[in-house]
Amino acid sequence: MDTLESHRSILVWNEIDTLIKPSVDMLAVEHYLNWLKSSGSISETFINNLRQYFQKIGDELKTFNSSPKTEGIYAILGLNLDVVFKSFEPEGILLQYNSGVFKKISIVKDKAIVQFYVPPSKNYGYTKMLFTLTKENATWFIDYIGYYD
């Protein structure tokens, strides 16, 4: 992202007198999704699933009661991890992906399932990843990123 550009936080802590209540700023979510899409490697399916993920968390937060400001902010389940890699420590993947190995690639027409192993590093264990992809106009786009044992 352009660090000179002003960005909005996805998670907003609304202050109401002496109380605070978290909410999801869906305009900030759309900005983030547009940034992800600009990578040219993410499909509309991936973007829509991530949008629904944020919307679900936002809907759940609407049911939360406000809490006293004196209690401070707290972790929001689902937003306390990297939402793309669904990992608490995506560094284990990002620092080692160049050493990764494709174990199996299955292609049927314009769909693919890919097994990708990220080797262990000094601080992180072995990671087995699973990707699904869709081919559009001779380009492969990521539909899903997950893990398996």
Side-chain angles (χ1 to χ4, degrees):
M1 280 189 176
D2 180 356
T3 56
L4 298 176
E5 185 180 339
S6 175
H7 299 285
R8 295 166 63 162
S9 177
I10 289 173
L11 182 62
V12 177
W13 292 90
N14 302 297
E15 296 186 19
I16 309 158
D17 296 326
T18 61
L19 302 173
I20 57 172
K21 184 172 181 171
S23 66
V24 171
D25 180 342
M26 289 306 292
L27 289 176
V29 167
E30 288 303 322
H31 180 77
Y32 173 65
L33 296 177
N34 286 334
W35 175 74
L36 279 178
K37 192 173 177 179
S38 73
S39 72
S41 58
I42 306 295
S43 73
E44 276 302 315
T45 299
F46 189 94
I47 295 295
N48 287 333
N49 288 340
L50 202 50
R51 180 181 292 113
Q52 290 174 3
Y53 179 83
F54 284 112
Q55 185 64 57
K56 181 180 178 197
I57 292 170
D59 291 345
E60 289 173 4
L61 289 177
K62 289 176 184 175
T63 67
F64 282 28
N65 291 325
S66 299
S67 61
K69 285 184 199 177
T70 56
E71 291 180 11
I73 61 173
Y74 46 88
I76 303 298
L77 189 61
L79 294 180
N80 57 340
L81 50 77
D82 181 281
V83 297
V84 171
F85 290 110
K86 302 289 189 270
S87 171
F88 290 101
E89 297 180 353
E91 297 82 11
I93 298 165
L94 297 173
L95 294 174
Q96 290 292 108
Y97 79 91
N98 285 332
S99 302
V101 177
F102 291 101
K103 289 291 185 175
K104 189 169 185 180
I105 300 173
S106 299
I107 301 173
V108 177
K109 297 194 181 219
D110 63 348
K111 299 288 184 184
I113 298 175
V114 177
Q115 291 177 338
F116 185 69
Y117 289 13
V118 179
S121 67
K122 179 179 169 186
N123 298 319
Y124 303 98
Y126 207 59
T127 305
K128 297 177 183 179
M129 300 183 75
L130 184 71
F131 294 82
T132 61
L133 301 105
T134 298
K135 188 175 184 180
E136 294 178 17
N137 300 321
T139 302
W140 288 99
F141 296 95
I142 298 169
D143 290 326
Y144 169 81
I145 300 172
Y147 303 90
Y148 66 98
D149 294 324

